Amino acid sequence: MSNPIRIGMIGLGTVGSGVAKLLKANAQQYALRTGTTLELVGVLVRDTEKAMMTGLVDQAILTNDPDAFFAQEMDVVLEVAGGVEVAGNFVRRAIEKKCHVVTANKALLAAQGPELYTLAKQNQVSIAFEASCGGGIPIITALSFGLMSNRIDALYGILNGTCNYILTEMVQKGKTYADALAEAKELGYAEADETLDVSGADAAQKLVVLSSLAFDVKVTEDQIALKGIDTLDLSDVNFGSEMGYEIKLLAMAQQTDAGLSLRTMPCFINKETQLAQVDSSFNALSVYGSATGHTFYYGRGAGELPTASAVVSDLLNIVSGWYPKAFEQMNIWPVTHPDVQLADPAELIGRFYLRVDVQDVPGVMAKLTSALGNAGISINAVMQHETEDEQTAPVVILTHEAKQGDVQTALAEIAALPDTVGTPVILPVVDFPAG
Ligand code: NAP
Ligand code: HSE
C-alpha cells in the first residue's frame, strides 16, 4: 500500500459533515478499492467552536486560518464551503499548490469554471465536481464519459431539491410556501442564501455546468432565461393540475437549428411523464442522445449523505489515478470550447398556459380570443370557473404549439385591454421528445 493521500477540506457544514462521516465509516472499503489510505489532515472553517460541536473531526486538524490551512502538505483539497469569490480564491490557491480539487460548488463553476479548469490543466492537477449537479446522482460522469459517443440533442432536469421539495409539500400536503421553505432549510437542502434556490439561479448554474459538458460550448449564467418558483401563484398550480399538468422547476437545454435554447423556469408537464413523478428532494435528468435516445437519471438531489457520496466518489476517482489522466488528456471541460450560439427565444416553439384576470363583463372572452387569433395562435383549451367575486374572473387558456414571440405579442395586446386586471401569467407547457 502506498503513502496515505492527504486530504484538506474547506467547510464542515451539511456536505462537509457528510464527507467526514463517509471517510470515517468506509475507510477500510476505500483503502481496499484504491490501494491507499485516505487521511483528513486539515479542515478550514470560519467558526472552529461550531465545527468542534459536530464531533466529527479532531481539534488538531481544525483551523479558521486560511494561511495555516494552505501551509500544510496536501494532495487533494475538497471545497465544500460555497460562495464564489472567496471559494474561487481558495480553489486557485489549492491548484497552485498542485493539489487536485473536488468541489460541490456550482455557483463557482458557473462563474469561473473555464478559468479554473484552465489553471488546473496548466498546473497538471484536476478538478472534479460530480456533487455540483444532481446531488448523489452521477450525472456529470454519465454526461462526460458514459454518453461521450453521442451528440446530445436535449436535456430536461429537475435540478433543485429545495424547489422540488417546496412544490411537492405545497401541492401534495397543502403546506404554505413559507413553511415548506423553512423545512427545506432545516433538512439541509437549501443554499446558505436560499434566494439562490427559489429564484431558479441554483438550477441555472447547474444548467451552465451540464450544458457546457453536453454541447461542448462555454455557457454563462446570464445566457439562461430564468424564472423562479418565487414568482408562482398557487392558483396557477391548481388550474394546471385540473387540466392534467404538474408544475416543476425545469432546467432545459434544447439544440435547435438556430442554436441552443437554455431556460430554467416553472413549467407544466403532463402528470403521466417520468419527470412529473419526481417528488420532494429527489432530482432527475432526462438526456436525449443521438444514439441512445432517451436516458433518465434519478436520485436524491440534495442533503448531507447523497451529496457527500458524490464528493467522496470524486475523491476516490482522483486517488485511483484515472480521473487526473482523463482531465489532462481529454477535451471535455470548457477550456478551449467556443462560446455558445443561442437560439432566439422569440422563435422557440411550444405550448403555453396563460391566465388572464378580467372584468366579468360581456364580450371579454371574444377580445382575448381575438388578440390570440391576431397573433396566429390557436387555442387548445379554455377554462373559467364560476366566481363569487362578481368583479373579476380568471380565464385560463392553453394554446396549441406557437412561437413564444407571437404569444408574447398577443399577451401584450391582452395586458393593454381595459378589461384586463393585473398582469397576465404565462408558463410553458413542456412536451418531451419521443424517446
Ligand atoms: P453549509 O452547511 O452552509 O456549510 C458551509 C461550510 O463552509 C461551513 O462549515 C462554513 O463554516 C464553511 N465556510 C463558508 N465560508 C467559508 C470561508 N470563507 N472560510 C472558511 N470556511 C467557510 O453549506 P453546505 O450546504 O454544506 O454547502 C456547501 C457547498 O456544497 C455549496 O457550494 C453548496 O452549493 C454545495 N452543495 C450543497 C448541497 C446540499 O444539499 N446542502 C448539495 C450539493 C451541493 P462556518 O460554519 O464556520 O461558517
Ligand atoms: N440547494 C441545492 C438544492 C443543493 O436544493 O438542490 C443541491 O445542489
Side-chain angles (χ1 to χ4, degrees):
M1 194 163 281
S2 54
N3 288 335
I5 298 291
R6 296 156 300 183
I7 302 159
M9 183 157 72
I10 308 171
L12 190 68
T14 302
V15 182
S17 296
V19 170
K21 286 178 189 171
L22 287 187
L23 290 176
K24 206 171 269 181
N26 301 337
Q28 258 190 322
Q29 183 194 342
Y30 299 158
L32 193 69
R33 290 192 168 166
T34 61
T36 186
T37 50
L38 308 176
E39 191 184 345
L40 192 58
V41 296
V43 176
L44 174 64
V45 292
R46 285 178 296 208
D47 181 345
T48 50
E49 293 290 314
K50 190 171 108 189
M52 276 308 294
M53 302 276 282
T54 65
L56 290 169
V57 295
D58 290 341
Q59 189 164 13
I61 64 165
L62 260 180
T63 180
N64 57 10
D65 177 358
D67 291 335
F69 177 80
F70 282 106
Q72 320 167 78
E73 294 297 320
M74 298 180 285
D75 301 298
V76 185
V77 169
L78 315 179
E79 187 278 302
V80 286
V84 176
E85 294 313 323
V86 176
N89 289 337
F90 287 157
V91 167
R92 274 186 286 277
R93 276 182 89 166
I95 291 171
E96 281 158 1
K97 219 178 132 57
K98 311 290 181 199
C99 297
H100 298 283
V101 170
V102 177
T103 179
N105 191 337
K106 54 274 168 166
L108 175 62
L109 294 175
Q112 303 180 8
E115 178 199 325
L116 296 174
Y117 306 137
T118 305
L119 188 68
K121 280 185 181 259
Q122 285 164 354
N123 283 273
Q124 289 158 352
V125 292
S126 58
I127 304 184
F129 47 92
E130 184 62 76
S132 65
C133 301
I137 323 169
I139 52 180
I140 302 279
T141 305
L143 269 182
S144 309
F145 301 107
L147 296 172
M148 201 191 287
S149 56
N150 287 253
R151 183 196 69 240
I152 303 299
D153 295 324
L155 304 174
Y156 298 86
I158 293 175
L159 298 178
N160 186 272
T162 301
C163 289
N164 210 42
Y165 180 85
I166 292 172
L167 291 177
T168 303
E169 295 296 303
M170 285 174 70
V171 171
Q172 294 182 10
K173 300 187 189 156
K175 289 190 184 152
T176 64
Y177 175 84
D179 283 351
L181 173 57
E183 284 176 13
K185 286 167 72 173
E186 183 61 34
L187 289 162
Y189 303 151
E191 297 302 300
D193 172 5
E194 73 266 17
T195 55
L196 287 169
D197 295 292
V198 296
S199 68
D202 175 83
Q205 290 159 357
K206 290 166 177 164
L207 189 61
V208 169
V209 174
L210 295 177
S211 56
S212 61
L213 293 175
F215 301 100
D216 295 323
V217 286
K218 281 186 186 145
V219 178
T220 54
E221 197 179 334
D222 59 358
Q223 292 173 313
I224 296 182
L226 182 68
K227 198 189 262 185
I229 66 163
D230 51 357
T231 61
L232 268 183
D233 188 311
L234 192 57
S235 71
D236 294 310
V237 176
N238 294 332
F239 286 136
S241 178
E242 275 185 64
M243 295 171 119
Y245 297 96
E246 189 81 35
I247 193 87
K248 291 289 178 193
L249 181 78
L250 285 192
M252 299 170 278
Q254 296 153 279
Q255 194 65 268
T256 74
D257 291 342
L260 196 61
S261 161
L262 294 168
R263 297 178 288 167
T264 298
M265 51 190 60
C267 300
F268 283 117
I269 56 178
N270 189 302
K271 284 185 181 177
E272 304 303 319
T273 56
Q274 277 175 310
L275 280 168
Q277 320 296 322
V278 177
D279 286 335
S280 199
S281 70
F282 283 85
N283 279 192
L285 183 72
S286 269
V287 183
Y288 292 81
S290 56
T292 54
H294 181 212
T295 58
F296 187 76
Y297 308 87
Y298 170 82
R300 289 188 192 277
E304 185 189 76
L305 289 178
T307 313
S309 158
V311 173
V312 177
S313 294
D314 273 349
L315 170 65
L316 300 177
N317 288 329
I318 286 171
V319 169
S320 72
W322 79 264
Y323 185 84
K325 211 175 189 77
F327 192 85
E328 181 196 343
Q329 294 183 355
M330 301 184 80
N331 194 19
I332 293 176
W333 299 271
V335 171
T336 55
H337 293 164
D339 292 337
V340 65
Q341 189 198 329
L342 290 175
D344 178 357
E347 296 295 313
L348 189 77
I349 293 176
R351 297 195 295 137
F352 295 89
Y353 163 102
L354 312 174
R355 172 174 52 86
V356 189
D357 290 351
V358 290
Q359 306 273 9
D360 205 358
V361 292
V364 167
M365 194 67 87
K367 291 181 195 167
L368 299 184
T369 55
S370 134
L372 290 164
N374 292 343
I377 293 153
S378 170
I379 294 171
N380 188 5
V382 179
M383 190 167 78
Q384 182 185 357
H385 289 314
E386 198 176 328
T387 160
E388 285 168 20
D389 174 1
E390 309 252 311
Q391 304 294 306
T392 64
V395 176
V396 172
I397 297 170
L398 216 56
T399 72
H400 277 295
E401 277 198 339
K403 279 190 186 171
Q404 183 164 275
D406 293 340
V407 178
Q408 297 285 10
T409 303
L411 267 197
E413 189 180 331
I414 288 169
L417 291 173
D419 306 315
T420 299
V421 180
T423 309
V425 171
I426 173 169
L427 290 164
V429 179
V430 174
D431 299 302
F432 302 112

